Amino acid sequence: MFQLTVTPASALADEPVHIQATGLPPLQMVTLIATMKDDKGNLYRSRAFYRANEAGELDLKRDPAVGGHYTGVHPMGLLWSLKSEKPFDRLIKRDVMNTPFWITLDLYDSVYIHKVGKVQPKASQVMQRWFSSPDLQRVPIREGRVRGALFLPPGEGPFPGLLDLLGGIGGLVEYRASLLAVRGFAVLTLAYFAYDDLPKQLEEVDLEYFEEAANLLLAHPKVQKPGIGVISVSKGAEIGLAMACYLKQVAATVCINGTNAIHEFPLRYRDLVINPIPSYPERMQVNVEGAVRIRHFKGDPRDERNQHSVLPVEKARGPILFVVGEADECFNSKEYAEQALDQLRKHGKSSGRMLAYPGAGHLLEPHYGPLCYMSWSHGLFLPMLWGGDPEGHAAAQEHSWQEILKFFRQHLVLSRRYIAPSKF
């Protein structure tokens, strides 16, 4: 009798599961198919072909996939290789508090390459992937100019505070903040355009808005003083690095695939105005699928004419962790990180570190999420090419997520009153 098991069947989205099958004919070729719908009902699928052992057993921790969306031993491959059936879609969990992603696993006793539903599977299981824990608190923030959502772990605290900045997607995105809060941080995910009464388009970066958000977070009775961390990606990482340079409230910063200078829009802070490095839209390239590659769109921060736009990283009060994908097709992010590290060294500082990942694209997420190679982005007339290959990107996400947690735990001491959940 065919049996398929997933352990645990309900887990946090950044936790591994153990997938096994028993009762198979010895050395039988089988197919595993994962199917999931996002919050909008868009369908995601992956499939892999395996051979059972002589005892008629299959263990994804031990046995290699011989074909399908990936090959080799990848215990979580069915999750990170999920692909949208809708072109240029990006998987984003919107309702992080009330519902999980439901993923159905189907087992077929052959190399099944037909449409799902044409043949009944021999066994099925459903797993839940959650982005919050039952006792996590979400507080909508609409205070002064600040718009966002604050996630608080259970308990009295105080908890180390983090500000979470996404990039050009705009709006309010919460899935990374909620997962970080489960790990013991008080996290304010911050909208800065295309949300509520904020500007619909980003036209300039007002650093005082982000300072107001940092002060609001630090003023919360459950947030640890005296400084906060910033986790940021893409355009958000440019802003995050500027915060590290100019705001005394920032004690530690993670910049994921960002820049080391001001691009596209001016940055203002009190009497300071930093004008952006010129961009060159004629350098944009469109790939065979119709997605635009803007890796060479930005002007070079090393050019003498652009030095006024380079951020003074040597002024940062705390450590900076640069996380970069070497297959990033959106930014030349490794080069930007190397320039920032060189600048720190020239000023006698060793407070910067870089994690560089071959095969990783632009959109590095909490691990086990699927690669988004290209998708629509806010305000663009063509889909954006983000880059990356599924296997290399998955390995980068798994390693970098743990390193990011370790970095903030090292530089923002976790409250001893909080014990992170060992399981969901």
Side-chain angles (χ1 to χ4, degrees):
M1 182 178 176
F2 293 84
Q3 188 173 5
L4 181 62
T5 60
V6 180
T7 310
S10 180
L12 288 163
D14 65 349
E15 292 179 338
V17 295
H18 190 188
I19 300 172
Q20 297 169 284
T22 56
L24 310 173
L27 305 178
Q28 174 74 43
M29 287 300 303
V30 300
T31 302
L32 282 171
I33 297 180
T35 304
M36 185 195 78
K37 288 184 178 179
D38 67 10
D39 292 347
K40 294 182 178 179
N42 298 316
L43 204 60
Y44 285 74
R45 277 208 175 98
S46 64
R47 76 178 70 202
F49 310 127
Y50 288 89
R51 185 182 295 278
N53 65 11
E54 292 181 349
E57 297 170 343
L58 176 65
D59 186 336
L60 268 60
K61 284 187 176 181
R62 175 195 67 209
D63 300 320
V66 297
H69 280 109
Y70 60 91
T71 58
V73 179
H74 296 290
M76 299 293 287
L78 286 165
L79 275 69
W80 56 249
S81 66
L82 285 164
K83 294 186 182 300
S84 174
E85 294 195 348
K86 179 182 177 183
F88 308 125
D89 199 30
R90 178 180 175 183
L91 182 63
I92 295 176
K93 183 60 177 154
R94 295 294 183 182
D95 180 5
V96 299
M97 295 298 290
N98 302 305
T99 60
F101 279 143
W102 300 82
I103 303 175
T104 300
L105 291 185
D106 292 321
L107 173 69
Y108 296 84
D109 62 346
S110 64
V111 177
Y112 185 75
I113 58 174
H114 305 291
K115 188 175 181 180
V116 174
K118 192 172 183 180
V119 175
Q120 280 293 107
K122 294 296 182 181
S124 297
Q125 278 291 341
V126 177
M127 70 173 91
Q128 300 176 30
R129 306 294 286 171
W130 288 89
F131 289 79
S132 62
S133 58
D135 296 328
L136 199 70
Q137 184 182 4
R138 179 190 182 276
V139 183
I141 298 297
R142 201 176 192 278
E143 210 167 307
R145 294 189 299 163
V146 178
R147 303 291 179 264
L150 175 63
F151 291 90
L152 295 168
E156 296 178 8
F159 307 108
L162 295 179
L163 204 60
D164 186 8
L165 301 177
L166 272 289
I169 187 172
L172 184 63
V173 183
E174 304 180 9
Y175 58 88
R176 186 170 63 188
S178 60
L179 283 174
L180 285 165
V182 173
R183 303 302 172 199
F185 299 94
V187 189
L188 172 57
T189 180
L190 187 64
Y192 53 97
F193 74 100
Y195 178 76
D196 197 48
D197 57 351
L198 295 173
K200 294 193 184 320
Q201 302 286 344
L202 189 61
E203 295 177 351
E204 70 171 23
V205 175
D206 179 3
L207 206 59
E208 288 185 55
Y209 173 77
F210 299 88
E211 184 174 45
E212 187 178 337
N215 287 333
L216 186 150
L217 184 58
L218 278 169
H220 196 283
K222 288 191 176 183
V223 174
Q224 190 172 284
K225 315 295 187 288
I228 62 165
V230 175
I231 180 168
S232 51
V233 64
S234 194
K235 184 65 179 182
E238 178 186 308
I239 298 169
L241 190 60
M243 292 178 70
C245 296
Y246 294 110
L247 303 188
K248 66 180 186 299
Q249 299 90 337
V250 177
T253 308
V254 171
C255 296
I256 304 169
N257 286 328
T259 67
N260 64 320
I262 300 303
H263 292 270
E264 280 102 40
F265 313 106
L267 179 139
R268 300 179 186 276
Y269 181 58
R270 298 178 182 173
D271 295 330
L272 173 71
V273 178
I274 302 179
N275 288 313
I277 292 176
S279 299
Y280 300 90
E282 65 271 19
R283 296 178 183 174
M284 293 190 296
Q285 301 167 333
V286 180
N287 79 346
V288 67
E289 291 101 338
V292 65
R293 181 178 188 254
I294 64 167
R295 182 180 172 89
H296 304 297
F297 170 83
K298 302 179 189 302
D300 190 348
R302 294 169 299 184
D303 191 315
E304 279 298 320
R305 295 168 296 178
N306 297 332
Q307 290 305 297
H308 64 281
S309 302
V310 175
L311 288 165
V313 289
E314 68 277 4
K315 292 184 178 180
R317 293 168 173 78
I320 304 168
L321 177 63
F322 297 95
V323 180
V324 300
E326 294 186 17
D328 184 351
E329 296 288 4
C330 188
F331 290 3
N332 193 2
S333 49
K334 185 179 181 183
E335 179 65 36
Y336 296 143
E338 288 173 341
Q339 290 173 27
L341 292 171
D342 285 344
Q343 192 172 331
L344 283 169
R345 282 190 287 268
K346 285 176 184 175
H347 287 83
K349 294 201 168 188
S350 58
S351 52
R353 184 163 67 100
M354 179 176 70
L355 298 173
Y357 296 99
H362 187 69
L363 296 179
L364 284 166
E365 308 273 27
H367 60 69
Y368 306 134
L371 165 70
C372 181
Y373 182 72
M374 51 190 174
S375 71
W376 292 105
S377 188
H378 185 87
L380 290 182
F381 68 101
L382 286 173
M384 183 76 78
L385 181 64
W386 307 113
D389 70 78
E391 187 174 332
H393 197 83
Q397 289 188 156
E398 184 166 2
H399 185 265
S400 65
W401 183 246
Q402 297 304 324
E403 288 298 308
I404 289 167
L405 292 173
K406 191 187 304 180
F407 174 81
F408 283 130
R409 285 170 178 156
Q410 179 183 350
H411 299 291
L412 304 170
V413 182
L414 277 169
S415 170
R416 293 180 181 177
R417 294 179 231 176
Y418 177 74
I419 301 174
S422 57
K423 63 179 182 177
F424 185 74

